[in-house]
Amino acid sequence: MGGVKVHNIHKTFGKNKVLHGIDLDVEHGDVVAVIGPSGSGKTTLLRCINFLEHADKGLITVGEQTVNTEKASKKEILALRRKTAMVFQLYNLFNKKTALENVTEGLIAVQKVSKKEAEAKARELLDSVGLQSKYGAYGSQLSGGQQQRVAIARAMALDPEVILFDEPTSALDPELVGEVLSVMRRLAKGGQTMIVVTHEMSFAYEIANKVVFIDQGLIVEEGDPRDVFLTPKDERTKQFLARFNLSSQYSI
Amino acid sequence: MNIDLSFVWQAFLYGLAYLPNTLKLAFSAFLLSLVFGIVIAGIRFFKVPFLARFFALFVTFLKGVPMLLVMFVVFASASRVVNGLAALLHLPFSAKDVSLNAIGIVALTIFGTMIISETIRGALTSVDNGQFEAGFSIGLTRTGALVRIVAPQAVIIAAPVLCNNIIGLIKASALCYMVMVEEVMSGTLKVASSNYKYFEAYLAAAAIYWALCIVIEMIAKILRAKLGKYRTKLA
Amino acid sequence: MQKLDWSLIFTSIPKLLSRIHITFLIVIVATVCGIIIGLVMALFRVYKVPVLRQIAVVYASFIRGTPIIVQLFLIYYGLPVFFNWIFGVDIGRLNKMYFILVTYSLSMGAFFSEIMRSTIEGVGTGQSEAAYSIGMTKLQTFRRIVLPQAALAAVPSLSTSFVSLLQNTSLGYTIGIIDVIGRARTIINISKHTIEPYTAAAIIFVFLSIVFQYVFSFLEKRLSKGRGAVA
């Protein structure tokens, strides 16, 4: 057992209803790509899962723990957050901390691992994302792609049930997108459960085993990437995907 | 608690009678400081040889001197300087003709010039250098670019800070009572000298200054909102 | 008219310096207490604690809106009245230094609360969100992530308030503290020269302000050394 279950999530900002009852099932080891036009609510959905946004209504299950968002206690929220990790669009590396410190921070402060052990693990992780020479670098001394790889290492360090990716490459210069995607690809192959909000359609097609298309706060279509990308059923999905011209790339 | 509230009110009214003079002190000093401050900031901004260095030193020095000492030294040297000047220029006046108010204003102006020149300089330097270059690119001279392009933007940045500077001058003007200038502080204390209810008198003085500063802060807030809109329109 | 006696400036300086420890005492105690008060007040405001937040706002507004000399005398005359009323204790005979320390600590606290509030709010929400996302509690997030960044960003403004505090200590003589200014006035009384002892005092204050400004800018460079550009 494991994975993530989202049931009937509603979220309103002021007068603006963003999520109208979303259900999502993510099995342990799944890689789910969430796609959709801007303003469709996909980022909000992601942020509701770890309570960066507090959903108005609905159930969220991560691993064995289920939280009713209507009466979630601080303790429950914290426990849920400790089963998840997030990679942000703008990296959000901790300022004034080195790459290594960014990765050890959660291990030391949250998991109470000794500093020595934490550093050993952090080095290993930074090596695995190709940053073996950047342990002591501060965020401002790293390129966007390098910062995002540190952020991924920071998320991996906590061995979370699921890593939530919020448009991890959309703030990057085009030539830096590849290095981040290849780290994510390896992570996916390694069996890490991932939910990825993304605009990289070909990447979603390649690594996801499930694609979810959201529009106007509702899941319009979901399923195997092959089905969704190549033979979309809903008109909105067709229109959205037409812009990316995916079928021509993959239907050979 | 043993506070004579009716006396606080009495002292408040007494102090209020001197509010016009406090305003006169603070705003005269403000206007004079603004003129000197703009000149000094301009000289330092354009790095005028010698003068820029001189005023940089002048500002650094004054930043370190407590306002109280400025006040005392101006007060103590007023008669000497005025008589000396009068003799030098053969003018028919002497120190006796100088009002205490003038001494207060001079001291406040020295203090005000220092802070306001820093405000103006800060505003000038915070306008992006690209604005000057854009001015040059359409054929403006340095002065032209300053007057037409940079200064209007600097004013927007400086205005709210200048309001804070006025508050600083109003608070500093309270020290004028130490050199016998009549203003809010001395007004409230005067009534207390007969019954020694100084706590009440200071409460009254505090209320007047506080209210005055809140009003100016509100003006600053409105100014900021208005100019902020203008700033986004500019952008 | 009396002639200026330049040598009096130089002979005054050592005499004035003999009271400099009073100035240092005030400045150091007020800064330490001010930082503590300011931080607590800033937290009330940033985290919107009901009632306490309003108190913090009024407190900061009052200190910002009234001359420090008025605050000094309010404390000097008011604190004994207050203590007598609440605790029935007479503190009127307490060393005058305590009133000075209370006044300047409160003053520094108000300015520091404004500084810390803006630097805490200046640490982007992305930093807190990242901390929450790795499972930190609110307290951990504040202590480990937000506070260190906010404190570093506060150093330049702290330097400014520190220097104005230094200058404000010159008002202590009005309630009878013999600090640098108080000592200058005794020299004036004896020598009947006014300008020279005050000038000597001014030189000392200018020198101290410049030294302190250097210390703070050194501190700032030292603290942010190698930490990359301030984001």
Side-chain angles (χ1 to χ4, degrees):
Chain A
M1 243 320 269
V4 179
K5 256 194 189 67
V6 169
H7 179 64
N8 197 24
I9 288 288
H10 291 259
K11 176 67 185 173
T12 308
F13 292 111
K15 286 181 192 154
N16 188 12
K17 199 151 198 303
V18 181
L19 298 178
H20 301 258
I22 297 252
D23 290 289
L24 184 66
D25 245 324
V26 181
E27 298 291 321
H28 183 80
D30 268 359
V31 176
V32 176
V34 182
I35 59 171
S38 350
S40 58
K42 50 193 194 306
T43 289
T44 305
L45 170 65
L46 201 68
R47 288 165 61 87
C48 281
I49 294 174
N50 67 351
F51 279 84
L52 286 186
E53 304 294 351
H54 198 134
D56 306 327
K57 200 180 146 188
L59 300 176
I60 294 168
T61 307
V62 178
E64 308 293 321
Q65 190 198 5
T66 301
V67 177
N68 183 343
T69 59
E70 278 174 287
K71 42 191 171 195
S73 69
K74 274 186 186 173
K75 222 173 146 184
E76 285 178 307
I77 292 174
L78 195 63
L80 198 99
R81 280 182 181 155
R82 288 182 174 173
K83 292 195 175 67
T84 64
M86 188 173 234
V87 174
F88 297 85
Q89 186 178 353
L90 297 171
Y91 339 124
N92 294 13
L93 289 193
F94 297 128
N95 294 327
K96 316 284 173 213
K97 289 192 190 296
T98 60
L100 194 76
E101 286 167 343
N102 261 281
V103 182
T104 57
E105 190 64 21
L107 292 168
I108 295 169
V110 178
Q111 299 193 343
K112 310 291 177 202
V113 174
S114 77
K115 195 173 174 213
K116 212 175 147 193
E117 269 178 76
E119 283 180 354
K121 185 168 183 186
R123 275 193 212 99
E124 206 176 290
L125 285 165
L126 286 172
D127 293 352
S128 79
V129 298
L131 293 173
Q132 49 276 21
S133 58
K134 300 288 182 188
Y135 296 156
Y138 292 93
S140 52
Q141 298 160 339
L142 297 171
S143 73
Q146 290 170 331
Q147 289 189 55
Q148 195 60 299
R149 284 187 279 152
V150 175
I152 294 173
R154 175 173 73 184
M156 289 161 70
L158 304 162
D159 297 318
E161 176 58 38
V162 59
I163 301 182
L164 311 167
F165 291 83
D166 183 12
E167 303 191 20
T169 57
S170 57
L172 294 174
D173 290 336
E175 72 271 20
L176 300 176
V177 170
E179 62 190 62
V180 172
L181 292 185
S182 81
V183 167
M184 287 172 68
R185 191 175 291 127
R186 247 184 304 132
L187 203 53
K189 294 224 170 85
Q192 171 71 54
T193 314
M194 295 160 66
I195 304 178
V196 187
V197 169
T198 185
H199 289 296
E200 296 286 332
M201 294 305 150
S202 51
F203 177 73
Y205 180 87
E206 177 200 342
I207 70 158
N209 59 343
K210 182 174 181 180
V211 171
V212 176
F213 175 67
I214 295 187
D215 190 24
Q216 292 171 4
L218 275 171
I219 292 181
V220 176
E221 198 163 339
E222 61 184 309
D224 187 274
R226 248 168 206 290
D227 301 336
V228 176
F229 280 124
L230 303 181
T231 53
K233 289 171 194 70
D234 193 279
E235 196 49 42
R236 279 184 285 174
T237 321
K238 280 181 196 162
Q239 274 178 13
F240 177 73
L241 289 173
R243 280 187 274 150
F244 294 95
N245 208 12
L246 258 171
S247 39
S248 67
Q249 268 175 281
Y250 286 95
S251 59
I252 307 160
Chain B
M1 196 149 49
N2 204 359
I3 298 177
D4 183 347
L5 282 176
S6 73
F7 184 69
V8 175
W9 179 239
Q10 196 189 337
F12 181 82
L13 294 177
Y14 246 85
L16 215 52
Y18 290 93
L19 182 61
N21 203 40
T22 285
L23 292 175
K24 192 170 147 195
L25 288 167
F27 280 90
S28 318
F30 173 70
L31 291 176
L32 289 169
S33 307
L34 193 59
V35 174
F36 295 135
I38 287 173
V39 171
I40 291 178
I43 287 172
R44 292 187 64 193
F45 185 71
F46 286 121
K47 304 198 169 64
V48 177
F50 179 71
L51 283 179
R53 296 285 298 270
F54 171 78
F55 282 118
L57 261 170
F58 170 80
V59 169
T60 312
F61 180 82
L62 271 186
K63 256 189 190 166
V65 184
M67 178 57 205
L68 182 74
L69 281 178
V70 175
M71 191 78 75
F72 282 154
V73 171
V74 170
F75 182 68
S77 51
S79 61
R80 188 188 309 266
V81 173
V82 170
N83 288 338
L85 265 180
L88 195 73
L89 304 169
H90 305 291
L91 292 173
F93 64 79
S94 73
K96 276 175 287 203
D97 302 322
V98 179
S99 72
L100 287 168
N101 248 359
I103 291 172
I105 291 172
V106 169
L108 286 171
T109 302
I110 293 174
F111 168 72
T113 300
M114 180 268 290
I115 56 173
I116 289 176
S117 79
E118 289 289 81
T119 302
I120 306 284
R121 200 168 66 95
L124 283 176
T125 43
S126 70
V127 175
D128 181 20
N129 198 37
Q131 296 295 315
F132 262 107
E133 289 174 359
F136 297 153
S137 78
I138 58 165
L140 290 173
T141 61
R142 198 166 66 158
T143 322
L146 177 70
V147 172
R148 303 187 62 95
I149 314 282
V150 177
Q153 298 181 41
V155 167
I156 294 170
I157 298 165
V161 190
L162 286 175
C163 286
N164 281 338
N165 295 159
I166 293 178
I167 291 177
L169 281 168
I170 288 171
K171 292 200 291 181
S173 77
L175 293 176
C176 289
Y177 93 98
M178 293 196 176
V179 293
M180 293 170 297
V181 178
E182 297 203 311
E183 39 69 72
V184 169
M185 186 85 166
S186 59
T188 51
L189 293 180
K190 210 188 275 174
V191 255
S193 61
S194 56
N195 59 8
Y196 299 104
K197 291 187 171 170
Y198 283 110
F199 180 55
E200 283 83 348
Y202 281 108
L203 272 181
I208 296 172
Y209 285 112
W210 193 11
L212 185 57
C213 290
I214 286 176
V215 168
I216 292 174
E217 273 178 1
M218 270 158 56
I219 295 172
K221 214 174 185 177
I222 295 167
L223 216 57
R224 198 169 298 159
K226 283 245 160 89
L227 293 175
K229 251 184 247 157
Y230 182 53
R231 188 188 289 191
T232 50
K233 266 186 219 158
L234 273 178
Chain C
M1 194 187 304
Q2 207 177 31
K3 287 194 74 161
L4 282 176
D5 178 4
W6 294 101
S7 66
L8 187 56
I9 295 179
F10 300 104
T11 51
S12 295
I13 288 181
K15 289 178 193 161
L16 300 185
L17 283 176
S18 73
R19 304 302 296 172
I20 198 92
H21 60 282
I22 302 289
T23 306
F24 283 142
L25 176 69
I26 300 171
V27 165
I28 289 165
V29 171
T31 304
V32 172
C33 296
I35 286 176
I36 296 167
I37 298 170
L39 187 56
V40 173
M41 293 289 162
L43 288 179
F44 289 161
R45 292 174 72 176
V46 172
Y47 292 104
K48 302 196 168 56
V49 182
V51 187
L52 293 175
R53 168 187 174 213
Q54 279 81 359
I55 291 175
V57 170
V58 172
Y59 158 67
S61 163
F62 180 80
I63 302 284
R64 210 174 47 234
T66 52
I68 182 113
I69 181 100
V70 174
Q71 294 161 16
L72 175 58
F73 280 105
L74 277 180
I75 297 288
Y76 183 60
Y77 289 115
L79 212 54
V81 178
F82 182 74
F83 265 75
N84 202 355
W85 178 55
I86 302 272
F87 307 107
V89 202
D90 182 17
I91 58 162
R93 308 225 164 272
L94 214 61
N95 189 330
K96 286 167 176 164
M97 197 61 185
Y98 289 107
F99 298 104
I100 293 276
L101 293 178
V102 170
T103 306
Y104 290 114
S105 298
L106 286 176
S107 163
M108 203 56 180
F111 286 104
F112 202 66
S113 82
E114 301 266 290
I115 296 168
M116 280 308 281
R117 184 175 64 101
S118 70
T119 59
I120 289 172
E121 286 174 351
V123 177
T125 49
Q127 293 290 306
S128 307
E129 288 189 350
Y132 293 145
S133 82
I134 60 170
M136 284 196 194
T137 61
K138 216 170 176 173
L139 189 68
Q140 280 178 321
T141 301
F142 181 74
R143 207 174 55 77
R144 299 186 65 103
I145 305 296
V146 178
L147 185 59
Q149 294 180 37
L152 187 61
V155 174
S157 312
L158 179 62
S159 156
T160 311
S161 355
F162 187 84
V163 170
S164 66
L165 168 68
L166 174 72
Q167 293 169 11
N168 284 336
T169 62
S170 63
L171 295 172
Y173 90 90
T174 54
I175 65 166
I177 301 287
I178 308 293
D179 65 340
V180 173
I181 305 282
R183 186 75 181 88
R185 291 178 74 90
T186 61
I187 298 176
I188 290 165
N189 284 340
I190 296 162
S191 67
K192 305 294 174 206
H193 280 259
T194 317
I195 296 175
E196 299 85 339
Y198 281 145
T199 307
I203 290 171
I204 290 174
F205 274 99
V206 169
F207 178 75
L208 285 181
S209 319
I210 292 173
V211 168
F212 280 128
Q213 283 177 48
Y214 270 102
V215 168
F216 272 99
S217 75
F218 173 77
L219 199 70
E220 193 196 346
K221 281 202 195 94
R222 188 65 198 273
L223 288 174
S224 51
K225 194 178 162 198
R227 305 255 159 152
V230 177

